[in-house]
């Protein structure tokens, strides 16, 4: 095929944003041919704004039309795996929005189906396209930072008002989203946390506060502590009610420390490894010689357009995927472990009991008495030019 024909499942906030990118010709060798959504208002929006694109009520009808080669799944979180599995079964290439799903058990089934299908499978981890995090990953994998000793990410610039949470009945509910800040705002950071350093935690202890300063039932303030096989530790802090917020990632290794903040990277590099210095040092208050480098800007991040272009190139030309869909399970495993740690009030070893996590989640869905009034659902397109 000379052009990849895309169909989008769900044209709400993110789906309509992807539609606009494709319609504007931002993605080489790609064309939007069809969309579908269960909400009539969103189908009306599509008919008005997406000229020449076929509009369907459900994904089955869209895929069976023969108009698409690949689908973008941009539905509510719980439906990502089921829609992907359906699409693979009908011979589609699949690109899913984040998160991969709500709980690891359903995502594992999706990954197994993808592997059997022989089709391309990607996830919209657009922050993997960010040159800052690509550079961090490169510096760590090349050994420039030495063995990782500690990570520390404070990501609290997710300010969300009560009006935001009231804008949809599904928002910030166990039944609608399956979680709060960890499942909605932070999937990118939870992915980058393990992707850049190249390792997953072995156990996690988390403290998730539910509805802190907001009338919601899920977590919106989290402090978590992680341990790794090599003895390294990590701290992850996030919240949606702090103003102003912070986004600061520190990674310390045997050869120094790297900090990413305000869109800049700083590398404090030791002249020799701390281990070697400590072996030869005889001064009580001696410390390694350190050099400070401001890592030059690596250029703008192509964000969502970059992921779409990479996925298109993977299908048409065999390019390597920057964000394989199967890897969506890693960040989700971390967020699931944080939830489970809070629910059980203790440490959670990774891998954890997936059936136990699912049972605990279902218990909260069943016991929920949370009620709220919401404004009408809208199909306002997302601005995909921002950082997250």
């Amino acid at each position: 095929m000379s052009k990849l024909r895309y169909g989008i499942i769900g044209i709400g906030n993110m789906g309509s944003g992807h539609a606009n990118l494709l319609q504007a010709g931002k993605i080489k060798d790609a064309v939007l041919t069809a969309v579908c959504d269960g909400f009539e208002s969103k189908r009306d929006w599509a008919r008005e704004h997406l000229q020449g694109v076929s509009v369907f009520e459900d994904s089955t009808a869209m895929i069976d039309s023969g108009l698409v080669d690949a689908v973008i799944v941009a539905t509510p979180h719980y439906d990502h795996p089921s829609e992907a599995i359906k699409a693979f079964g009908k011979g589609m290439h699949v690109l899913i929005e984040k998160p991969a799903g709500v709980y690891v058990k359903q995502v594992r089934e999706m990954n197994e189906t993808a592997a059997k299908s022989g089709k391309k499978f990607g996830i919209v981890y657009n922050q993997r396209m960010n040159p800052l995090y690509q550079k961090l990953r490169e510096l760590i994998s090349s050994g420039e930072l030495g063995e990782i000793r500690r990570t520390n990410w404070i990501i609290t610039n997710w300010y969300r008002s009560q009006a935001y949470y009231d804008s949809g009945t599904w928002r910030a509910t166990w039944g609608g989203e399956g979680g709060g800040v960890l499942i909605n705002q932070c999937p990118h950071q939870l992915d980058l946390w393990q992707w850049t350093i190249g390792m997953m935690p072995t156990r996690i202890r988390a403290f998730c506060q539910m509805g802190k300063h907001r009338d919601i039932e899920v977590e919106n303030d989290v402090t978590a502590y992680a341990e790794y096989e090599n003895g390294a530790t990590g701290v992850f802090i996030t919240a949606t009610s702090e103003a102003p917020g912070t986004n600061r990632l520190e990674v310390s290794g045997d050869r120094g420390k790297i900090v990413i903040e305000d869109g800049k990277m700083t590398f404090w590099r030791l002249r020799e490894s701390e281990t070697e210095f400590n072996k030869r040092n005889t001064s009580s208050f001696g410390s390694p010689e350190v050099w400070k480098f401001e890592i030059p800007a690596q250029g703008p991040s192509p964000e969502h357009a970059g992921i779409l272009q990479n996925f298109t190139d993977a299908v048409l030309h065999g390019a390597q995927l920057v964000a394989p869909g199967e890897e969506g399970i890693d960040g989700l495993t971390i967020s699931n472990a944080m939830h489970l740690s809070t629910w059980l009030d203790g440490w959670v070893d990774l891998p954890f009991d997936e059936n136990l996590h699912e049972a605990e989640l279902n218990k909260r869905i069943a016991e929920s008495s949370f009620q709220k009034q919401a404004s009408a659902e809208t199909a306002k397109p997302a601005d995909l030019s921002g950082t997250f």
Side-chain angles (χ1 to χ4, degrees):
M1 67 184 79
S2 60
K3 284 187 177 292
L4 185 62
R5 301 176 301 166
Y6 278 100
I8 299 178
I9 304 173
I11 46 172
N13 191 30
M14 297 307 300
S16 54
H18 291 304
N20 287 335
L21 282 175
L22 289 162
Q23 279 287 87
K26 301 290 186 181
I27 313 303
K28 182 182 177 182
D29 296 330
V31 59
L32 179 65
T33 53
V35 298
C36 66
D37 199 290
F39 283 96
E40 184 176 358
S41 61
K42 295 177 182 179
R43 295 196 299 274
D44 288 342
W45 176 89
R47 293 186 184 98
E48 179 181 354
H49 294 89
L50 304 177
Q51 299 300 313
V53 174
S54 297
V55 180
F56 297 88
E57 187 172 348
D58 60 71
S59 59
T60 299
M62 182 182 75
I63 294 171
D64 288 346
S65 70
L67 295 174
V68 301
D69 309 304
V71 298
I72 300 172
V73 180
T75 58
H77 306 154
Y78 276 102
D79 295 333
H80 290 181
S82 60
E83 289 291 352
I85 289 171
K86 181 196 301 183
F88 283 127
K90 291 179 175 290
M92 297 288 103
H93 302 283
V94 179
L95 178 63
I96 60 170
E97 258 295 345
K98 59 81 181 171
V102 173
Y103 53 97
V104 171
K105 185 178 177 181
Q106 64 171 178
V107 172
R108 193 174 302 284
E109 180 185 355
M110 173 177 64
N111 285 357
E112 292 170 354
T113 303
K116 295 174 183 176
S117 72
K119 299 298 180 178
K120 295 296 182 182
F121 180 32
I123 185 169
V124 186
Y125 276 153
N126 54 286
Q127 282 302 295
R128 288 195 182 189
M129 303 301 298
N130 190 322
L132 273 174
Y133 298 114
Q134 291 183 345
K135 187 64 174 179
L136 175 62
R137 177 177 162 90
E138 175 195 326
L139 289 170
I140 292 173
S141 64
S142 67
E144 284 291 323
L145 193 58
E147 184 180 37
I148 300 301
R149 292 186 168 183
R150 182 179 60 82
T151 63
N152 193 8
W153 203 333
I154 302 176
I155 172 73
T156 59
N157 61 343
W158 295 123
Y159 186 79
R160 297 293 188 270
S161 67
Q162 188 64 46
Y164 165 83
Y165 290 117
D166 290 345
S167 67
T169 55
W170 57 275
R171 288 194 187 278
T173 61
W174 294 115
E177 288 197 271
V181 64
L182 292 176
I183 206 76
N184 191 322
Q185 284 79 35
C186 278
H188 292 300
Q189 287 68 46
L190 294 174
D191 171 61
L192 292 173
W193 196 22
Q194 57 82 29
W195 183 70
T196 55
I197 67 175
M199 56 185 183
M200 287 280 286
T202 54
R203 67 174 190 159
I204 287 176
R205 179 66 174 101
F207 301 87
C208 301
Q209 294 179 282
M210 314 298 172
K212 188 173 184 180
H213 310 303
R214 296 291 183 269
D215 184 23
I216 58 176
E217 67 179 0
V218 296
E219 86 286 347
N220 64 331
D221 193 300
V222 178
T223 299
Y225 176 82
E227 293 182 348
Y228 298 83
E229 187 174 5
N230 72 338
T233 60
V235 175
F236 190 89
I237 298 172
T238 189
T240 62
S241 60
E242 292 185 12
T246 298
N247 184 1
R248 179 184 175 91
L249 171 61
E250 292 188 11
V251 184
S252 296
D254 187 48
R255 294 299 303 251
K257 178 177 72 173
I258 295 176
V259 175
I260 296 179
E261 188 173 21
D262 297 328
K264 299 178 181 178
M265 178 185 292
T266 305
F267 188 0
W268 283 269
R269 195 184 193 285
L270 302 185
R271 184 174 183 179
E272 62 181 317
S273 77
E274 189 281 327
T275 300
E276 293 303 315
F277 171 83
N278 190 53
K279 285 180 180 178
R280 69 168 181 79
N281 176 62
T282 58
S283 173
S284 298
F285 294 97
S287 62
E289 182 178 347
V290 61
W291 303 328
K292 181 181 179 181
F293 298 95
E294 299 292 341
I295 304 298
Q298 304 297 301
S301 175
E303 300 290 337
H304 296 81
I307 287 290
L308 277 170
Q309 188 63 67
N310 173 246
F311 187 77
T312 300
D313 292 342
V315 174
L316 296 181
H317 312 299
Q320 182 175 353
L321 285 171
V322 173
E326 293 86 353
E327 295 181 8
I329 200 170
D330 295 329
L332 184 65
T333 295
I334 296 173
S335 66
N336 278 186
M338 290 180 182
H339 278 149
L340 192 57
S341 173
T342 299
W343 295 337
L344 301 181
D345 194 20
W347 285 94
V348 169
D349 292 328
L350 279 68
F352 52 80
D353 185 336
E354 296 174 9
N355 290 323
L356 175 60
H357 174 271
E358 183 185 11
E360 289 291 329
L361 174 60
N362 286 334
K363 182 189 302 182
R364 278 149 186 83
I365 294 172
E367 294 176 350
S368 174
S369 59
F370 196 77
Q371 300 290 329
K372 64 179 178 178
Q373 296 296 320
S375 57
E377 297 283 350
T378 66
K380 182 181 179 181
D383 179 2
L384 301 188
S385 62
T387 302
F388 298 105

